[in-house]
Amino acid sequence: MSFSFIALNRLVEDKAARDPAYRAELKRHGKVLLSEARSLSDEALLAKLVEFGVALDRERLRKLVGEFLSAEAIYREVMKECRPPAGRPKMGEDWVWFAFTLLWERWFPDIPSLEMFDERMQEGYRLQQQDDAAACDCWLGVWRDFLTIFERSGVRSIAEFDEKLRGTQFVSNWLQDLDMALSNAAARRPEYHRQRMHWAEEFLQRFGGLDAHLTETMRWALGEATWGSGDHARAESLFEAWLKDDPQWGWGWIAWSDLLWFPCHNSTPDYARAEQLLQRGLAVPGVRDREELITRLTDLYKETGRSEEAADLQKHATKAPTTGTVVAENQPRLKTTFDFGAEGLPSEALSQLSTEARRRQSALIQPVSPHKVGRNEPCPCGSGKKFKRCCGR
C-alpha cells in the first residue's frame, strides 16, 4: 500500500523540521510544502490553478467535493486534462493539490476530506503528548469525520477504508489508541467513562462482527466503561452474553474478572468470584489465550497470599513476560524513524519508505529506550494499574 500525498507531505515536513541541510536541499530544488502554501490567500491559490489552466470557483469545488473523497483524487482527475506550463518542473504540480486541499478545508470545513481526517487524527496524537483528555476530545470529533467519510466511501470494512485513506496511521490502530486514551482519561476524570461507553456502543452497532479483534477490543471497552460509569449489573450482563456467544474469548474472561478484583475498578475486591470466572474460562475447550488466563489467575493467587498455588499454576504458563518501553514523561510511545537516504528530495525512496513505514506501524511496541517495564511495575501510561494489567495485558 502506498502513502497518500498528505502522509508523504507530513513525513517530508517532519524531516525538514529536524534537518537544516535537508531543508536547504528542498529549497534549492524549488520544493514547496503544504505548510508554506497555507500562508497564501484564496486568491493566490486560485491564481496558481489558473497557471495550469484550471478555473475554479466555490460552485465547481462544491460539486467536486460531493463527487470525490479527497483533494488528491480531485487533483488526479484534473491533471488528466491539463498540462503544466512550458518550463515548469514536474514538482510544480504540487500547487494544484495544495490549492484543492486548502480551498476545500477553508470553504467546506464541515465536509471532511481524507486530508482533513488524517490531519485531525495527527493533531490528536500531538495533544496526547500533554493531555489524554484533550486528545480524546479531538479524536471523538475525528470519529464523527470517519463515520461521515465511511458512509460516503461505499466501502464495507475498516480495512477497505484504509486502502482508500493510505494515511499516516491505520484506522484500526488509531481506534485502539483512542480506546486507551479514553481509559487513561477516565482514570482522572470519571466523565470519560460515559464517553468511552457511548463510543464503544456506537462502534459495535456499526462495525461489530466485521473485524474479530476490534470487536473484542470494543466489547472490552464497553464492559469496562459501563462498570466505571457505575452500572455494574449491566457490565456483568454484557460479559455474560458475549461469553455465552463466544466462550473461547480468553481475554473476555480476563476482562470480566478484572472488574471484580483490580483496585482501579473495585474498592472491595471479590477474589472468589474473580477466581471463579478465570476457572470457567480455563475450563472451556480450545479457549484462546489460555496462557494469559493462567498468568492472570497466578497473579490473583499471589495477590491473595496463595504463593504455592501460584507457583504450581505458573508451571503451565508458557508465554514470555511482556515488556514495554518508556519515553519522556512516563508515557508509552511508538517511535518510527525514517531514513530518506542521501540529502535531497525523497522521491527516490518513497516506495521503500511506504513499505517500511507500514511494517513498523503494525508493530505493537518499538524499543526506544533501554528502560524496560516489568509486568509488576506501575504502567507508564499513568492509569494507576500494574503494567501487566494495563498496556501489557
Side-chain angles (χ1 to χ4, degrees):
M1 183 191 298
S2 62
F3 272 160
S4 65
F5 286 177
I6 193 71
L8 289 172
N9 179 82
R10 186 177 299 107
L11 292 173
V12 176
E13 295 223 19
D14 288 347
K15 180 171 175 61
R18 299 190 310 270
D19 186 342
Y22 179 74
R23 189 165 60 248
E25 188 70 6
L26 292 176
K27 186 174 181 180
R28 186 173 69 82
H29 283 276
K31 177 68 174 176
V32 180
L33 300 173
L34 183 60
S35 58
E36 299 170 79
R38 287 189 181 280
S39 63
L40 272 63
S41 66
D42 294 358
E43 291 73 20
L45 291 171
L46 290 170
K48 291 289 187 182
L49 289 176
V50 170
E51 292 180 19
F52 287 83
V54 179
L56 185 71
D57 57 24
R58 285 178 183 265
E59 182 58 29
R60 186 185 179 198
L61 183 57
R62 179 65 183 85
K63 291 179 181 178
L64 291 169
V65 164
E67 185 178 353
F68 296 96
L69 297 177
S70 68
E72 179 179 338
I74 296 175
Y75 159 85
R76 292 185 184 280
E77 185 65 23
V78 166
M79 293 307 293
K80 292 177 183 178
E81 303 298 330
C82 71
R83 295 289 182 269
R88 168 82 71 165
K90 178 70 174 176
M91 70 183 66
E93 295 177 10
D94 289 348
W95 281 108
V96 179
W97 175 68
F98 292 160
F100 282 119
T101 298
L102 296 173
L103 292 173
W104 184 340
E105 183 181 299
R106 295 172 187 179
W107 292 355
F108 306 106
D110 295 331
I111 305 174
S113 65
L114 289 177
E115 286 88 358
M116 291 157 65
F117 171 71
D118 200 326
E119 289 280 78
R120 291 168 180 172
M121 184 193 295
Q122 296 311 306
E123 175 61 22
Y125 282 107
R126 288 188 286 271
L127 291 170
Q128 191 183 31
Q129 295 177 20
Q130 285 79 41
D131 183 10
D132 276 307
C136 291
D137 294 343
C138 173
W139 278 342
L140 289 172
V142 176
W143 167 248
R144 308 309 326 163
D145 291 344
F146 166 70
L147 294 178
T148 297
I149 301 174
F150 189 91
E151 290 298 323
R152 291 188 60 208
S153 70
V155 301
R156 295 167 297 176
S157 69
I158 291 173
E160 285 185 35
F161 184 90
D162 269 322
E163 292 289 337
K164 286 187 176 292
L165 177 65
R166 300 160 32 249
T168 309
Q169 188 81 10
F170 285 122
V171 170
S172 56
N173 287 352
W174 165 66
L175 290 169
Q176 293 172 87
D177 290 339
L178 171 54
D179 179 46
M180 184 63 72
L182 284 165
S183 177
N184 290 342
R188 300 173 180 83
R189 296 172 58 180
E191 65 268 23
Y192 281 92
H193 283 303
R194 194 161 295 276
Q195 294 202 45
R196 186 185 183 203
M197 181 177 69
H198 292 321
W199 169 69
E201 281 181 320
E202 185 172 27
F203 177 92
L204 290 170
Q205 287 169 3
R206 288 174 175 262
F207 304 106
L210 294 179
D211 180 293
H213 175 68
L214 280 177
T215 296
E216 290 180 357
T217 297
M218 295 305 170
R219 283 178 171 179
W220 188 336
L222 175 56
E224 192 173 88
T226 301
W227 180 280
S229 68
D231 195 344
H232 294 186
R234 179 174 181 247
E236 293 211 58
S237 68
L238 286 170
F239 278 110
E240 186 75 66
W242 292 329
L243 288 163
K244 181 179 180 180
D245 179 60
D246 180 14
Q248 292 180 324
W249 180 26
W251 277 110
W253 294 107
I254 293 171
W256 188 2
S257 171
D258 287 354
L259 298 178
L260 299 172
W261 70 286
F262 277 18
C264 59
H265 298 311
N266 204 322
S267 59
T268 55
D270 188 340
Y271 295 111
R273 279 202 64 225
E275 178 183 354
Q276 181 187 45
L277 290 172
L278 294 173
Q279 293 284 13
R280 280 176 62 185
L282 286 168
V284 175
V287 67
R288 300 189 297 278
D289 298 301
R290 180 180 179 82
E291 294 85 357
E292 295 293 352
L293 273 162
I294 292 173
T295 298
R296 195 62 116 236
L297 186 55
T298 301
D299 294 338
L300 188 150
Y301 285 162
K302 290 178 179 178
E303 189 79 13
T304 53
R306 299 154 68 183
S307 56
E308 290 185 7
E309 290 174 85
D312 183 61
L313 187 61
Q314 192 129 37
K315 295 176 183 177
H316 301 285
T318 59
K319 187 173 181 180
T322 305
T323 59
T325 58
V326 177
V327 189
E329 302 177 1
N330 289 328
Q331 293 293 317
R333 291 284 180 268
L334 303 181
K335 182 175 181 180
T336 303
T337 301
F338 301 101
D339 185 356
F340 288 90
E343 295 179 359
L345 294 175
S347 56
E348 297 82 357
L350 290 184
S351 60
Q352 299 97 319
L353 171 65
S354 297
T355 301
E356 177 66 8
R358 289 298 184 186
R359 183 187 68 77
R360 296 186 187 188
Q361 210 176 47
S362 64
L364 293 179
I365 292 183
Q366 290 292 331
V368 297
S369 165
H371 176 62
K372 298 291 184 181
V373 183
R375 288 180 59 79
N376 290 306
E377 293 182 31
C379 188
C381 74
S383 66
K385 308 175 188 179
K386 289 183 178 181
F387 178 72
K388 65 188 177 186
R389 299 173 185 168
C390 188
C391 298
R393 64 193 181 187

